[in-house]
Amino acid sequence: MTRNDSTRHPRSTYRLQIRASFDLFAAADVVPYLRDLGADWVYLSPVLEAEPGSDHGYDVVDHSRVDPARGGEVGLHTLSDRAHVHGLGVLVDIVPNHVGVATPKASVWWWDLLTHGRRSRYADAFDIDWAAGGDKVLLPVLGEPAAADGSIEGLSVVGDELHYYDNVYPVAPGTRGDDDDAATVHARQSYELVHWKRADSDLNYRRFFAVNTLAGIRVEEGWVFDESHAEIGRWFRDGLVDGLRVDHPDGLADPKGYLDRLAALTGRAHVLVEKILEGDERLPEDWATAGTTGYDTLADLDRLFVDPSGAAALDGLDSRLRRSLSPDADEQAAGADESTGDEAVDWHEMILGTKRGIADGILGSEINRLARLIAGGGEIDPEVVDALAELAAAFPVYRSYLPQGAVQLAEAGAVATRHRPELAEAIERVLVVLRDESHPASVRFQQTSGMVMAKGVEDTAFYRYSRLATLTEVGADPSEFSLSPESFHARQQARLAERPFGMTTLSTHDTKRSADVRARVSVLSEVAHEWAATLERLRDLAPMGDGPFENILWQTVVGSWPASRERLHAYAEKASREAGSSTTWTDRTDEGEAFEERMHAAVDAVFDDDEVRHEVERIVDVLRAPGYSNSLGVTLMQLTGPGSPDVYQGGELWDFSLVDPDNRREVDFDLRRLYLEAIRSGATPPVDDTGAAKLLVTHRALTARRDRPDLFTRYAGLPVFGEQAASAVAVDRGGAIAIATRLPVSLEQAGGWDDTVVLTAGGAYRDVLTGRRHEGGRLRLAEVLDVYPVALLIPAED
């Protein structure tokens, strides 16, 4: 059975990571559980054929078929039929911006390009500056530069292939003589193997961010779109798929044009875009999309559960930690706090520096290509390169979409000029070009600024900015510490008005920490002084020598505890190298190696040193119960709020996952089925380490939303009165009332809710979590929230 509900929007989704170990057949097997849980659509990670062994699927190598390793065509039919029989829609993640080229022979288009060069029918499919590579594609794969005579250690000819150790490349027909050595054959190809460090400055093909093994494609070309989306179009014609999630539209030359073509291909199906909005930024109104994938909602939900009174103490701690470094270790610390004498870190000044470092470093080749476009074949002006890098660093959002976004371009120019007044004339010259939306440099700058933002902010500054790890999450502005219920309500009302079918989320495959880790870390804002004392003891017991990073690492340890030794070592290594302050991925130094030894020793100490373990477990005991309260609160607010909420695989129980690949671990669906069966039989589990209470909240909220959509049609924040009013947030969604506890430590210290009430319309309500009846008008929270820290009330049926 197949169908095509192309006009239907999901009331909720459940994300599944499809891979060889959990393929489309396995996904089909969990569909009945997802239906019973209350999910409306099943949401799949990319399923087109990807690099061999890829767990994530974003490195597509063949657009023409569903990945056999992920279940293939039969698997997709099986999943689709099962979902549709059970009343669920199917949403699939697609990747229009790039393809995987780590294994050239597996990548159909890339292999042909390397074989035939500019004569390849796929030459125009890739975004290549042929002139800059001497009519060759530069492949930065060599461990050492080629010798002066062109010889390359490890390079050999095997049949009609060049082998560089385990890497295989094509030999074009007619380019090999019987007596030719490998170096000679290599010199005759349409590609050149070069030292890996040249990627930073000389790479001549566009990538996904700074990933050399993901090559950008030009879907703005009609035939490239048609060939790369033929299989996707068939899914809709055959009724297999109901909606799409579009990965990284900011990398495209023309996102609006792409979405228009996609709408025509899919019959205007439900389409979401993975787009990060900064501050007050809004999606362009003329985009054919239901909305984003919800990082903006994630940031607001997190901040609703952060105590604003903890900001000063955590800022002071961060400042003291930075002063303990050498004077030049962090040049981004700026601005004296007159009340404490501490230096407060200016987030925007910090990212101006980290983004500029990316523009000068791993994305230098992109900046150089922009400069070549501006030069128009003439000699590159070093001042233009400098000005481009400064503008990219100063750009306030991921990208503009000219003519929309001209104001942001002007803002970047003003910031860059203030920061580098000596470059004012060069900056203005560059701006003249970038304002002209028809100029190829203008188009390319729009594709490039998002790369600089992502690498400079998400993958660098997020690992340096340490005052509260909750704040450094994808899509968030860490300079915004907390959010009052009033501000939260205003943003939710705007979301309902603007994009009522956009996705909302708490955890994804890209988040740095899962929602439950962040919910526990948020409690530190309520016990900031105790955390400062704990951190000092941990630093004394297991010193690393980088105070800000130690703060980030120890917050993550206590936020995810108990975690395995292996998981914490993996996180520590990735986080420290991304931060780039004491060690890096590439430039290995004695100092960096020594730091990593101390860092790994500190992680080991959590397991092997009784004093360190005691400190970790003692503060976790302080955070655990209020962290659970925060988790249930943020879950309920997301699942009942405006938009289409997504549950990330396994997140219906406590999930203390960290950055990828940790957040792609296997999910125990048998355990979840067992808990759900008990809950559906009437069990009301306690709030304990099992996480069954979270599954209860998830199940009842999703089911109410799916079965009673009439109760979720509007949004109005409800007034809360009483001594502990600040510890509650309440919303009327059009009949369904969601109430959550916030700032649980403060509430407990005050002795409970006392006389605090929520004002509602009259009549009787039933709490779908407990089954109990409550009379409306003045809901006493001491009664409503005496079993769980949250409640979901619907009109009682007398």
Side-chain angles (χ1 to χ4, degrees):
M1 174 182 176
T2 60
R3 67 171 191 187
N4 185 355
D5 285 339
S6 61
T7 60
R8 184 162 72 89
H9 297 286
R11 297 191 178 103
S12 67
T13 56
Y14 189 104
R15 164 85 175 199
L16 293 173
Q17 186 67 41
I18 307 300
R19 49 190 159 187
S21 60
F22 186 85
D23 62 13
L24 289 161
F25 295 104
D29 288 342
V30 304
V31 163
Y33 163 76
L34 300 183
R35 175 207 59 199
D36 292 344
L37 182 66
D40 194 31
W41 285 26
V42 58
Y43 164 26
L44 308 177
S45 64
V47 297
L48 292 175
E49 185 170 2
E51 280 280 347
S54 170
D55 257 1
H56 52 74
Y58 289 95
D59 41 7
V60 174
V61 296
D62 188 347
H63 293 97
S64 68
R65 63 176 184 167
V66 178
D67 196 338
R70 288 172 163 76
E73 179 67 16
V74 175
L76 182 60
H77 271 275
T78 302
L79 177 281
S80 176
D81 286 350
R82 189 76 56 83
H84 291 154
V85 162
H86 287 285
L88 276 69
V90 178
L91 181 74
V92 179
D93 200 341
I94 62 169
V95 191
N97 176 66
H98 55 268
V99 297
V101 297
T103 309
K105 202 166 190 177
S107 187
V108 178
W109 294 11
W110 191 248
W111 185 261
D112 193 86
L113 172 79
L114 297 185
T115 302
H116 302 291
R118 299 188 78 161
R119 297 188 305 279
S120 168
R121 72 176 301 266
Y122 298 106
D124 289 338
F126 294 96
D127 198 348
I128 299 169
D129 185 351
W130 291 98
D135 236 24
K136 296 175 182 283
V137 182
L138 303 184
L139 304 180
V141 297
L142 300 182
E144 297 294 336
D149 62 357
S151 62
I152 298 171
E153 184 177 352
L155 188 68
S156 61
V157 180
V158 180
D160 59 353
E161 297 172 344
L162 272 175
H163 287 205
Y164 175 65
Y165 297 109
D166 293 334
N167 301 295
V168 179
Y169 305 93
V171 171
T175 60
R176 179 194 173 194
D178 292 340
D179 298 325
D180 289 338
D181 60 15
T184 301
V185 174
H186 173 236
R188 292 173 180 157
Q189 303 311 307
S190 296
Y191 57 87
E192 180 183 355
L193 308 184
V194 299
H195 189 221
W196 63 270
K197 286 191 173 182
R198 288 184 62 186
D200 291 359
S201 56
D202 300 336
L203 195 74
N204 65 332
Y205 63 89
R206 180 170 58 85
R207 304 163 287 176
F208 172 73
F209 297 161
V211 184
N212 299 334
T213 55
L214 295 176
I217 58 173
R218 302 176 64 237
V219 290
E220 65 271 20
E221 292 290 331
W223 75 267
V224 176
F225 177 94
D226 292 341
E227 291 197 22
S228 61
H229 287 68
E231 172 68 1
I232 295 167
R234 187 185 67 79
W235 296 345
F236 286 89
R237 289 193 302 274
D238 292 352
L240 296 174
V241 171
D242 305 291
L244 299 173
R245 179 258 198 198
V246 177
D247 182 68
H248 189 48
D250 280 352
L252 306 179
D254 179 15
K256 179 190 180 304
Y258 171 79
L259 291 170
D260 286 342
R261 294 200 64 163
L262 196 63
L265 181 73
T266 64
R268 303 199 71 81
H270 179 79
V271 170
L272 300 163
V273 290
E274 188 223 12
K275 166 64 186 171
I276 294 172
L277 301 170
E278 292 289 312
D280 295 331
E281 183 186 11
R282 297 288 186 265
L283 273 181
E285 290 298 325
D286 57 351
W287 278 18
T289 177
T292 74
T293 51
Y295 289 116
D296 45 330
T297 315
L298 176 156
D300 291 345
L301 286 161
D302 278 348
R303 279 154 181 75
L304 179 63
F305 294 86
V306 172
D307 185 355
S309 68
L314 291 175
D315 280 347
L317 170 62
D318 180 69
S319 298
R320 294 192 297 276
L321 293 172
R322 291 182 189 280
R323 284 206 306 275
S324 70
L325 298 170
S326 58
D328 60 348
D330 193 338
E331 296 178 357
Q332 286 81 38
D337 183 332
E338 295 179 0
S339 63
T340 63
D342 288 332
E343 287 185 332
V345 176
D346 186 316
W347 166 250
H348 297 288
E349 194 67 23
M350 173 184 279
I351 63 172
L352 192 61
T354 56
K355 289 167 67 179
R356 179 63 202 246
I358 293 296
D360 291 338
I362 58 175
L363 290 179
S365 57
E366 295 293 336
I367 300 299
N368 289 337
R369 185 166 177 185
L370 283 166
R372 291 195 296 272
L373 288 172
I374 290 176
E379 186 174 347
I380 292 176
D381 183 346
E383 282 201 339
V384 167
V385 175
D386 199 357
L388 282 163
E390 199 66 30
L391 285 166
F395 213 76
V397 296
Y398 275 70
R399 65 167 283 174
S400 60
Y401 309 92
L402 294 178
Q404 298 182 60
V407 171
Q408 293 151 346
L409 185 60
E411 180 182 341
V415 171
T417 301
R418 284 197 304 271
H419 191 249
R420 296 287 304 283
E422 75 281 9
L423 271 180
E425 189 273 334
I427 289 170
E428 182 53 36
R429 277 193 287 133
V430 170
L431 285 173
V432 169
V433 175
L434 300 186
R435 292 186 195 110
D436 177 4
E437 59 193 271
S438 66
H439 196 289
S442 175
V443 175
R444 191 170 190 85
F445 183 83
Q446 292 175 74
Q447 294 175 273
T448 303
S449 61
M451 301 184 197
V452 175
M453 176 76 85
K455 297 303 296 181
V457 176
E458 295 174 38
D459 293 343
T460 306
F462 275 5
Y463 294 102
R464 294 186 186 183
Y465 193 74
S466 68
R467 64 174 178 166
L468 188 66
T470 305
L471 309 178
T472 47
E473 194 47 86
V474 180
D477 178 356
S479 67
E480 182 176 58
F481 188 81
S482 63
L483 202 60
S484 69
E486 294 74 20
S487 296
F488 175 76
H489 294 324
R491 294 185 187 182
Q492 291 286 79
Q493 287 167 336
R495 187 166 289 114
L496 178 62
E498 294 174 5
R499 299 283 178 174
F501 304 114
M503 181 179 284
T504 67
T505 189
L506 292 175
S507 296
T508 77
H509 61 285
D510 278 333
T511 44
K512 308 300 183 185
R513 300 167 188 84
S514 70
D516 292 327
V517 174
R518 300 194 310 273
R520 184 185 290 176
V521 169
S522 293
V523 182
L524 296 178
S525 65
E526 295 194 80
V527 295
H529 293 291
E530 184 170 358
W531 172 245
T534 300
L535 180 63
E536 289 307 315
R537 287 192 290 271
L538 288 168
R539 294 186 68 216
D540 288 341
L541 292 168
M544 300 179 218
D546 183 340
F549 181 76
E550 290 170 83
N551 195 8
I552 292 170
L553 180 58
W554 286 118
Q555 286 185 48
T556 304
V557 169
V558 301
S560 60
W561 190 257
S564 70
R565 188 189 301 256
E566 293 73 20
R567 290 177 60 213
L568 291 181
H569 275 300
Y571 172 81
E573 181 171 281
K574 180 168 184 173
S576 62
R577 292 180 179 181
E578 295 281 33
S581 50
S582 291
T583 184
T584 68
W585 287 108
T586 54
D587 294 326
R588 313 303 296 158
T589 65
D590 291 343
E591 293 82 1
E593 296 289 351
F595 169 79
E596 290 197 16
E597 286 184 16
R598 296 192 300 271
M599 177 185 70
H600 286 298
V603 171
D604 282 330
V606 180
F607 302 90
D608 302 333
D609 186 303
D610 289 342
E611 288 187 88
V612 172
R613 188 182 184 97
H614 170 75
E615 284 298 326
V616 168
E617 293 186 337
R618 185 196 60 76
I619 194 66
V620 169
D621 285 343
V622 173
L623 305 176
R624 182 180 288 108
Y628 288 162
S629 176
N630 282 348
S631 287
L632 295 179
V634 76
T635 297
L636 183 67
M637 287 294 108
Q638 183 231 355
L639 295 181
T640 61
S644 173
D646 177 59
V647 178
Y648 183 71
Q649 58 173 23
E652 62 270 35
L653 291 182
W654 303 138
D655 172 27
F656 295 99
S657 296
L658 301 175
V659 71
D660 69 288
D662 191 65
N663 55 24
R664 295 198 300 270
R665 290 173 295 147
E666 296 288 346
V667 175
D668 186 346
F669 283 107
D670 288 338
L671 178 64
R672 287 159 175 79
R673 287 187 185 98
L674 181 66
Y675 285 172
L676 181 58
E677 183 179 349
I679 288 167
R680 295 182 77 204
S681 298
T684 53
V687 182
D688 60 13
D689 291 349
T690 66
K694 187 182 180 188
L695 195 150
L696 167 72
V697 172
T698 303
H699 166 57
R700 297 282 167 75
L702 287 179
T703 303
R705 185 163 196 146
R706 182 189 65 194
D707 297 346
R708 293 294 308 275
D710 55 302
L711 301 179
F712 296 86
T713 57
R714 63 186 182 89
Y715 187 100
L718 292 176
V720 184
F721 292 101
E723 289 293 323
Q724 306 310 317
S727 285
V729 58
V731 177
D732 183 347
R733 288 288 281 114
I737 294 175
I739 304 172
T741 303
R742 58 190 294 270
L743 315 185
V745 174
S746 301
L747 178 65
E748 182 180 12
Q749 290 172 345
W753 291 110
D754 194 23
D755 63 346
T756 306
V757 297
V758 172
L759 301 187
T760 72
Y765 293 90
R766 179 174 64 87
D767 185 352
V768 301
L769 305 182
T770 64
R772 295 189 306 173
R773 182 186 177 99
H774 299 281
E775 294 301 323
R778 295 173 63 87
L779 292 172
R780 294 190 67 246
L781 294 185
E783 297 174 359
V784 176
L785 301 181
D786 65 336
V787 177
Y788 295 115
V790 294
L792 178 55
L793 310 178
I794 64 173
E797 297 178 359
D798 295 324

